[in-house]
Amino acid sequence: MIPGAGRIAEKLEDPGLLFEWGLKSLLFAAFFELVLYRLVARLGMHLGKLAEKYEAVRIGFRTLSSLGFVLLNMTAILVFLILGILIIQKMRTKLWVGEWDKVVIPLAALLVACTIGYLFFPPAMLGSIVYNVLSFGILSFLMLEYWGTHRLLSQRLMVGTFFLGINGWLYYQTMSTSYGLLNILDAPPLVHEVNRLGEALMVLSSILVFWAYGSTSFVTKNKSQRKWGLTLLISGGSVFLLLLFMDYFLTLWSPETALEVRKAGEGIGWIFQMGMGYTFYLPFAFYVAGFTLWAYTVIKLIIIGRLAGYGLGLMFMAGYALQLSHLTLMVVLGLMLLNIDKRGSLGRLRNKNTEGLLYQPIRPAYGQQTP
């Protein structure tokens, strides 16, 4: 055996700081791209009359939109980088190998290749259908891999609900595009119903995230954890019920105020529909609950270095309507991170391959045979 060969192999298998800091940068870039580009830019369109009246408002929205567009390109580049590192590491090391990698790796590589190709040659209807079918295939195998490695009912239910929800959008897009390709003017069967059901399942999945990854047990012997869990349940439940029946209470107090609140809610729904695909047809309290529980869980997991925090963050920041190709890659990357989360936290996963360096074998004396 060549001296130092094992050390070189371990270094090659180690993803290094590029993966760690690239993943952190991707999460922040995706968040600000969502806020500044997909949401604020649409808000500027909604407040067009106000922007025409005040020059400062127009300049402010234009600046934020330009910054958001830069973040959009940065997010896309980082998605390609991190997803490429994951694919290479799955082929070169046993640490991140999954049960379905023989299918997942080729499909992921093909999806990345299609995304890059479509940047130079924009796809027609047939290309969009192929891309959606390919996305459905890789998401299906990633979900099967997750179910095979995660035994908790809460985690399986959360990922299964997310999978069905995001496929509501894929079904809507694939069937609508297929009917357009065939010049069929009738609406595809159940396309609107499936689309609405998918949105509801996405909201439900964002709530189940807390149960699967962020909840605190009420039967624990730790009094501090039990107290914190009860406080969160009582306060959160009170706010949820207040928001759920807010319209009813406002109607009793002032019908005019209730009408203004409804109009504001419609405006918020329009912005989120253009930015993330949510139509806000469900009661507003469910969306607030989903966002709050998802944000708490993601922040908690990221603080302790769990890859699941980054995966969940990317999956839900991509939104429901995957109108941009890099958003689909964010969902795929998020599920891949969930699958390798059980192998260790972000720092520990990076150091697992270098633990062997702590032991240095004694070099044999002259004339002795190397075992």
Side-chain angles (χ1 to χ4, degrees), residues 139-367:
L139 291 177
S140 300
F141 286 109
L142 286 174
M143 189 202 66
L144 291 175
E145 180 181 339
Y146 185 90
W147 276 21
T149 55
H150 295 72
R151 302 298 180 182
L152 291 179
L153 174 62
S154 59
Q155 295 179 348
R156 287 187 169 188
L157 187 60
M158 184 275 296
V159 170
T161 305
F162 176 87
F163 173 77
L164 293 176
I166 205 68
N167 277 297
W169 166 258
L170 293 178
Y171 174 83
Y172 172 80
Q173 282 291 96
T174 303
M175 295 301 296
S176 300
T177 309
S178 300
Y179 271 50
L181 180 64
L182 298 175
N183 292 324
I184 301 177
L185 301 180
D186 297 333
L190 301 176
V191 65
H192 296 293
E193 291 79 4
V194 171
N195 187 31
R196 287 193 163 227
L197 177 61
E199 179 180 340
L201 290 174
M202 286 287 290
V203 176
L204 176 61
S205 180
S206 65
I207 297 175
L208 293 176
V209 163
F210 178 76
W211 181 33
Y213 284 97
S215 60
T216 301
S217 176
F218 300 117
V219 297
T220 180
K221 296 181 179 179
N222 191 317
K223 294 183 179 180
S224 178
Q225 289 186 358
R226 187 166 62 246
K227 182 179 179 181
W228 166 248
L230 290 173
T231 302
L232 183 64
L233 176 63
I234 294 173
S235 59
S238 301
V239 173
F240 175 77
L241 292 176
L242 180 62
L243 290 174
L244 187 61
F245 296 101
M246 179 178 62
D247 185 76
Y248 173 74
F249 294 140
L250 287 176
T251 303
L252 294 179
W253 177 57
S254 174
E256 293 78 10
T257 304
L259 181 60
E260 292 298 326
V261 171
R262 290 194 201 103
K263 290 182 179 179
E266 292 175 358
I268 294 174
W270 184 84
I271 296 169
F272 274 84
Q273 182 179 11
M274 295 294 293
M276 300 183 68
Y278 292 111
T279 61
F280 274 59
Y281 78 93
L282 296 173
F284 184 71
F286 289 101
Y287 295 93
V288 175
F291 172 76
T292 304
L293 295 176
W294 165 81
Y296 169 82
T297 305
V298 169
I299 293 173
K300 176 183 176 180
L301 294 176
I302 289 176
I303 289 176
I304 62 178
R306 290 280 299 274
L307 287 171
Y310 296 90
L312 292 172
L314 294 175
M315 287 163 55
F316 286 93
M317 280 193 291
Y320 176 57
L322 306 178
Q323 297 175 346
L324 303 174
S325 57
H326 78 282
L327 300 179
T328 304
L329 296 181
M330 282 173 58
V331 175
V332 172
L333 176 59
L335 282 173
M336 293 176 72
L337 292 174
L338 284 185
N339 286 334
I340 65 176
D341 172 71
K342 297 190 71 173
R343 292 163 174 80
S345 61
L346 186 59
R348 291 179 181 177
L349 187 65
R350 178 168 51 84
N351 294 329
K352 272 187 177 181
N353 286 319
T354 60
E355 289 177 355
L357 300 180
L358 299 177
Y359 168 73
Q360 297 292 340
I362 301 175
R363 298 183 62 181
Y366 181 77

Side-chain angles (χ1 to χ4, degrees), residues 9-56:
E10 288 171 346
K11 286 185 177 181
L12 289 175
E13 293 183 350
D14 182 13
L17 292 175
L18 178 61
F19 175 80
E20 181 176 348
W21 288 102
L23 186 58
K24 293 178 179 178
S25 301
L26 171 60
L27 187 70
F28 283 101
F31 173 75
F32 287 110
E33 180 265 333
L34 167 63
V35 175
L36 298 180
Y37 184 73
R38 283 188 276 160
L39 297 183
V40 171
R42 271 66 180 189
L43 180 61
M45 295 168 57
H46 189 64
L47 301 177
K49 294 183 179 179
L50 183 63
E52 293 177 359
K53 186 177 181 180
Y54 300 99
E55 184 69 15

Side-chain angles (χ1 to χ4, degrees), residues 72-122:
L72 171 67
N73 294 326
M74 183 183 300
T75 301
I77 293 173
L78 289 172
V79 168
F80 284 123
L81 174 64
I82 302 301
L83 193 56
I85 292 176
L86 269 180
I87 294 175
I88 293 174
Q89 289 297 115
K90 280 180 169 291
M91 293 188 296
R92 296 175 60 178
T93 177
K94 297 180 180 179
L95 183 60
W96 289 355
V97 170
E99 181 181 358
W100 295 92
D101 276 356
K102 291 183 179 180
V103 182
V104 169
I105 292 177
L107 288 179
L110 182 58
L111 189 66
V112 173
C114 287
T115 305
I116 297 176
Y118 289 166
L119 293 176
F120 298 97
F121 307 99

